[in-house]
Amino acid sequence: MNTKVAPGDDFFAFANGEWMASTAIPKDRSTWGVMGELTELTNVRTAELIKTTTDAKIADTYATFMDEAAIESKGLAPVEPVLKEIERIKDKSALARALGGTIRADVDVLNNTELHTDNVLGLWVAEDLDDPTKYAAFLVQGGLGMPDREYYVDPSPRMTDLRAKYVAHVEAVLTLAKVKDAKAKAGRIFELEKKIAQEHASREDAGDVEKGNNHWARKDFDAKAPGMDWGAFFAGAGLEKQTAFVAWTPKHVTSLAALVAKEPLETWKDYLAFHALDGLSPFLPKAFVEEHFAFHAKAIGGVEQLRKRWKRAIDVTNDALGEAVGKLYVDKYFPASEKARTKVMVKNIVDAFGKRIEGLSWMNDATKARAKAKLATLEVGIGYPDRFRDYSKLEVVRGDALGNARRASKFEYDRNRAKLGKPVDRGEWVMTPQLVNAVNLPVRNALQFPAAILQPPLLDPKRPEAMDYGAAGAIIGHEISHSFDDQGALFDETGKLHNWWTADDLAHFKASGAALVKQFDAYKPFPDAHVNGKQTLGENIADVAGLSAAYDAFTASLGGKPAPVVDGFTGDQQFFISFAQGWRTKIRPDALRSRLVTDGHAPPEYRSDTVRNLDAWYKAFDPKPGQALFLAPSDRVRIW
Ligand SMILES: [Zn+2]
């Protein structure tokens, strides 16, 4: 902490000042904070588990990626079959088939919210928004090597500079792969991507369920998106039997098909070769790894140093065999006592939410009944799934790092494809137990809290419980509240896309939302760039609501007795300090700028400022009018 800073001037600095002053971002990261510390701790433990396991698939995946000398000596050989296949493409039908063949299950519009894939489209198999008892095949825009359309169209100097660096990167990768005329090809590949980018939905629109929920029958693709041999495309994707899709970003689908028809076959083949090489670079010799790092991590994210190989090997192993590794993790590090303690905390926060709903003056009784029904059917997964995933059909070959990576992503794709037409598996987890994160699944009306986020310093049996409510509790409240925020209002208690609010409820909510948009728009991490209040609204509402419910639950958990004073701080003060400390993070300027554009969350410092909307924070720290964080009671945003 830095107790010389007045809480009302800068609560983040008050709670984290000493840490901010004494902490440096590790060279291999663009950001460092609680989430990074937790990830590091989890990684060290995971590495130990992986190195000592008797599970051959886990051991072989890790060891093969670690064997740099073997990868170096193989040179380009492992990727050559991929390039040869692209070389053999002789017409636009074969191109369509090849493009279809690149599709993977690497996007997720509602749960993990991953909206980027560098393949031309991404597949997400999840509950149909109109009938959550069935799975639907969502197709999401892609095709860009840089993170978002803004990188291609924004005229700012930084983006202009990154575009030049990207073209140089494309040329460098092609050159490393001994492709002829790399410079000219890089220029054409970039121009093609730019055309794809121009018809991309914005980040905001791509996250809008009402804009995304477009049911297209298979035949609609021929009518609405002419130019692509869709029969060949879907056959290449292994989706030839699928008769219904959701075209999440329809403008992109139409434009993609037109570009397939219009752009020269050779440009497309060069594009495919580059994307294959770029995507597989982490599994190729050092020169590729370093070029990949120099652009994707250093230029885009401001990271100074490549992460150590063992850390990347853990990521590779987690990507391939996530739940198998996760089972090892929870067996050792997530005791039943912590699962039970979290269960009690969740119950208290859910109850607090229920009381808040009952007490709302602006919501009519019919809507309240729906909200309570939704709360009553909410399923909360804690730590890990009841049934772990079966990897018996995944082939792992010792000594074939690139092949292992390709087989693992194909395995994951096939696993998702196989869900189509089957009943929804409500026990499936979308995050691994060893991932430091939490998630709301709107179409399942469920939440999942992986074991790795339920560890110190967010949940710690060795400290006052006030601090656990302020940290883990606020995160739990945040996720619960997503079921009732501007997204959650769209999904009813069965998970169906069906707005359960009246026009009046929505009007009040929008007005409250507008105040929060303004509050966050005013945060300026740079003189020339501010937080996008609209882009981050859903997350900011969740922070206000989650913190409020966690506070109520903490108060209720005391059963009328005062919380113990520790180091001179009252229970309420501990609660809020712990909340702000849970957000302690340092971010490199480039990465912060990139986040302002692409992230649905506000930067952590401003998330910690959420406290200024709670009356209890004013009672705990007594900030005065005129101080930076002070809000008059009428300006405090109260939504739930
Ligand atoms: Zn959230």
Side-chain angles (χ1 to χ4, degrees), residues 242 258 263 294 393:
Q242 187 66 17
E263 297 298 315
K393 294 219 168 74

Side-chain angles (χ1 to χ4, degrees), residues 57 61 391-398 400 403-408 411:
K57 284 183 185 177
T61 301
Y391 293 97
S392 56
K393 294 219 168 74
L394 172 63
E395 194 197 350
V396 174
V397 178
R398 192 150 184 136
D400 183 12
N404 286 345
R406 295 191 79 214
R407 279 184 293 273
F411 176 83

Side-chain angles (χ1 to χ4, degrees), residues 24-334:
I25 303 173
K27 286 212 165 86
D28 62 347
R29 292 188 172 257
S30 61
T31 163
W32 185 248
V34 166
M35 296 300 163
E37 288 167 29
L38 264 175
T39 303
E40 198 75 354
L41 169 74
T42 309
N43 273 344
V44 169
R45 289 169 161 182
T46 305
E48 202 48 47
L49 291 167
I50 288 174
K51 279 190 252 173
T52 53
T53 184
T54 53
D55 183 318
K57 284 183 185 177
I58 292 176
D60 287 351
T61 301
Y62 183 85
T64 297
F65 184 81
M66 285 303 289
D67 192 352
E68 262 187 289
I71 292 173
E72 208 59 41
S73 72
K74 284 187 176 182
L76 278 167
V79 79
E80 257 152 20
V82 183
L83 298 177
K84 287 231 168 71
E85 227 174 278
I86 296 168
E87 204 32 63
R88 277 196 291 271
I89 297 171
K90 59 177 194 318
D91 57 29
K92 292 286 174 78
S93 275
L95 171 64
R97 179 178 286 269
L99 288 170
T102 63
I103 293 198
R104 289 297 173 264
D106 53 1
V107 291
D108 173 336
V109 292
L110 285 177
N111 298 334
N112 287 321
T113 46
E114 175 53 77
L115 291 160
H116 176 83
T117 172
D118 71 330
N119 302 321
V120 291
L121 284 167
L123 175 72
W124 184 50
V125 178
E127 293 87 342
D128 190 321
L129 309 193
D130 296 316
D131 179 1
T133 64
K134 292 192 311 203
Y135 283 117
F138 297 82
L139 292 175
V140 181
Q141 68 188 11
L144 308 179
M146 290 196 281
D148 186 88
R149 79 182 290 275
E150 292 302 312
Y151 286 77
Y152 294 82
V153 301
D154 181 335
S156 70
R158 173 174 145 78
M159 292 303 195
T160 307
D161 176 51
L162 277 175
R163 284 193 279 277
K165 284 190 172 134
Y166 182 56
V167 177
H169 168 66
V170 177
E171 184 188 343
V173 171
L174 295 176
T175 305
L176 282 174
K178 304 193 172 66
V179 174
K180 288 191 195 90
D181 299 326
K183 193 178 176 70
K185 285 177 179 170
R188 291 195 290 267
I189 291 166
F190 174 76
E191 287 306 317
L192 174 57
E193 285 194 24
K194 196 172 163 188
K195 285 173 190 163
I196 296 173
Q198 277 158 348
E199 299 305 318
H200 256 223
S202 67
R203 173 70 178 69
E204 220 169 283
D205 283 351
D208 185 330
V209 287
E210 284 171 324
K211 288 184 177 144
N213 190 29
N214 310 292
H215 290 263
W216 281 23
R218 165 61 190 85
K219 61 180 188 318
D220 289 336
F221 285 79
D222 303 318
K224 294 180 179 175
M228 173 98 84
D229 179 346
W230 287 105
F233 181 90
F234 285 119
L239 293 167
E240 61 274 23
K241 295 202 181 93
Q242 187 66 17
T243 54
F245 294 87
V246 176
W248 194 258
T249 44
K251 210 167 85 172
H252 167 74
V253 176
T254 303
S255 134
L256 173 68
L259 287 170
V260 164
K262 210 175 110 205
E263 297 298 315
L265 184 65
E266 287 310 312
T267 305
W268 274 110
K269 287 168 69 170
D270 295 338
Y271 165 93
L272 277 173
F274 164 69
H275 277 260
L277 288 162
D278 202 32
L280 293 169
S281 284
F283 309 96
L284 285 168
K286 210 169 169 203
F288 283 92
V289 175
E290 282 172 357
E291 176 57 36
H292 189 268
F293 166 78
F295 181 73
H296 291 284
K298 194 169 188 179
I300 297 266
V303 181
E304 286 173 17
Q305 206 175 69
L306 181 62
R307 295 174 67 220
K308 291 214 168 66
R309 191 146 190 112
W310 71 267
K311 292 185 191 172
R312 286 178 278 139
I314 290 171
D315 289 350
V316 166
T317 314
N318 278 336
D319 283 349
L321 292 142
E323 286 196 4
V325 176
K327 172 137 188 1
L328 299 178
Y329 194 86
V330 299
D331 283 350
K332 179 141 190 197
Y333 293 111
F334 194 62

Side-chain angles (χ1 to χ4, degrees), residues 438 478-479 482 538-539 542-543 601 607:
H478 170 109
E479 293 303 335
H482 271 316
E539 294 303 327
D543 281 344
H601 304 82
R607 298 184 72 176

